[in-house]
Amino acid sequence: MSFLQKDLFKHKTGHSSLPSLPNQEEEVIEEEGDTFGNLGPAVYEAPATTEKNAPIFVFHHGAGYSSLSFALCVSHIRRAMEGSVSILAYDCRGHGATRTSDDTNLSLERLSQDLADVVNFVFGGEGEVKKRDIFLIGHSMGGCVVAHAASNHSIPSVVCVAVLDVVEGSAMEALSGMSSFLRTRPTEFKSIEHAIEWSVKSGTIHNLASSRVSIPSLFTEESDPNTGMSKLVWRTNLAATQKYWEGWFIGMSEKFLASKAAKLLILAGPDRLDKPLTIAQMQGKYQLIVLPDVGHMLQEDAPDRTANALVDFYKRNEKLVLPLKRLTL
């Protein structure tokens, strides 16, 4: 049993409204005592409203982001599915509102096990999860996590896997410039408004409405020791996760293609596709969708188009349940 799962079973659950995600509840799991800090995993769940065993769309965000990067996309999905879908998104360890007993371990194995632990905890264990169609959706680093989980069958009943804007080959090539990017990125902001403005002007997020929802969850407030004034700093120290970067992406294409589930890859540009996935796409091993006029945060830049692509893909690949016919002897 993982650290995260142990933490989950030690917590008590409370519910509060989450204005930024219509019809969604925020499940903040509070620790009894202060051994692991004030918060456990922050889980955002929107249950289905029309059927008991509706499919479950599970979202995993990228490194340095939070589950709220899917907020607007989720709203579109729920409308398109007319309530016949359960939504699960959570801030992984070391991100957003989540606090665990080991926030620094962001290895692929640990994150993949966390994903399975959270799904099983929220939906009542493997026995209950097996009754549902599971659609795993991951962005960037989260794409590596869902591909890993799907390939090792740590979550039962996975019928679809979608990876958003991450490809092993191009990701490995980009790692050499990641440290330089982090050094040039602002380390603090005076206010959330300044952070939102930076996210749009820098091209990190192209959609102001989505930025207003997701950006606040990426920061924590600190007091400046020199001035005594409060300032906002990044919740996740991405530079400190460098030792995990290669482990996230190495073998990702092989794991993605090895999954028995239906597979979807959504990219922000065709130039991001590497050779192995190009060959596999020509062989029909997965579906490729390229969204024009979006950046890396494609689910924030075009939440409606991303949602439509995910819903259409699921509907084409959901399990077909035929009615039983009685035999007359």
Side-chain angles (χ1 to χ4, degrees), residues 10-159:
K10 289 180 180 178
H11 292 95
K12 57 184 178 181
T13 303
H15 294 276
S16 61
S17 61
L18 187 63
S20 55
L21 288 178
N23 302 318
Q24 202 166 23
E25 292 181 330
E26 180 182 14
E27 184 179 359
V28 180
I29 307 170
E30 299 178 356
E31 173 65 27
E32 296 180 353
D34 58 358
T35 305
F36 304 133
N38 295 325
L39 293 177
V43 179
Y44 301 94
E45 181 195 5
T49 59
T50 60
E51 52 185 290
K52 181 179 180 181
N53 290 326
I56 305 169
F57 285 25
V58 182
F59 294 85
H60 197 298
H61 61 82
Y65 294 97
S66 80
S67 54
L68 292 181
S69 64
F70 293 105
L72 299 190
C73 181
V74 162
S75 295
H76 288 288
I77 288 173
R78 285 175 60 78
R79 283 196 291 269
M81 294 288 287
E82 298 180 337
S84 61
V85 62
S86 292
I87 301 292
L88 173 64
Y90 68 100
D91 299 340
C92 75
R93 62 177 65 226
H95 291 71
T98 287
R99 301 292 187 276
T100 71
S101 54
D102 185 7
D103 268 357
T104 61
N105 185 355
L106 297 182
S107 67
L108 183 61
E109 291 74 16
R110 174 73 279 130
L111 295 177
S112 178
Q113 187 59 52
D114 287 349
L115 173 63
D117 290 344
V118 170
V119 170
N120 287 325
F121 174 80
V122 172
F123 294 101
E126 285 193 13
E128 292 300 315
V129 173
K130 287 179 179 178
K131 301 176 183 178
R132 315 280 288 272
D133 282 358
I134 307 294
F135 188 177
L136 299 179
I137 301 148
H139 170 252
S140 196
M141 174 200 74
C144 302
V145 175
V146 301
H148 187 81
S151 66
N152 65 16
H153 311 293
S154 59
I155 300 174
S157 302
V158 175
V159 297

Side-chain angles (χ1 to χ4, degrees), residues 144 150 275 300 318 324:
C144 302
K275 184 176 180 180
E300 297 205 53
E318 63 181 315
L324 295 176

